[in-house]
Amino acid sequence: MGYELRVVRESPLAFAELAKAIAPAGFELRGSDEIVAGHGDAKHTVARWQGQVVGEPGSDWQVAQLLRLSTALGARLVGEDGEVYSLRDGVMEVATGDSVMELGKFDEIIEAGPAAWSP
């Protein structure tokens, strides 16, 4: 199991609400728990429904898609260690305590696609 990012809201997210919100945001449900997004001719897993939306990204593209999904759900994207991912002026950022680090330009990351991180 990899590092998990969770979509967190003040009010709990119901599965029916998730199902209603994802299609207009460009996501699809595969089966009863897998949330996918397309790139090129392929669909790629972004997250899973486990009573909440949880993703284990393996690329910057997947982090960007999780950030896009969290925005569509009116939520925040939060890592296991409490860091918060956000989008400011078209740039993805991660904040940990008082430190903020830029991850890259959102549009460029989405366009680049789901190329996996190198080990």
Side-chain angles (χ1 to χ4, degrees):
M1 177 148 49
Y3 191 80
E4 289 185 345
L5 299 179
R6 298 178 184 277
V7 174
V8 178
R9 291 192 338 171
E10 296 301 319
S11 61
L13 178 66
F15 181 78
E17 188 177 359
L18 169 71
K20 182 179 175 183
I22 63 171
F27 297 94
E28 297 176 20
L29 276 176
R30 184 185 296 162
S32 63
D33 69 339
E34 192 174 23
I35 301 164
V36 299
H39 184 77
D41 294 334
K43 300 289 183 185
H44 303 273
T45 301
V46 172
R48 295 195 180 279
W49 173 255
Q50 300 173 344
Q52 64 182 350
V53 178
V54 178
E56 292 182 32
S59 70
D60 288 344
W61 182 86
Q62 288 173 310
V63 174
Q65 293 292 353
L66 281 165
L67 186 54
R68 190 166 68 93
L69 179 59
S70 66
T71 299
L73 296 170
R76 296 178 300 132
L77 184 60
V78 180
E80 287 180 10
D81 297 326
E83 71 278 14
V84 177
Y85 294 77
S86 61
L87 187 62
R88 185 170 53 112
D89 299 327
V91 176
M92 290 178 20
E93 298 178 334
V94 59
T96 306
D98 293 333
S99 175
V100 176
M101 182 178 78
E102 289 186 358
L103 300 176
K105 293 182 179 180
F106 180 83
D107 290 341
E108 291 175 4
I109 291 169
I110 290 293
E111 186 176 316
W117 290 318
S118 298

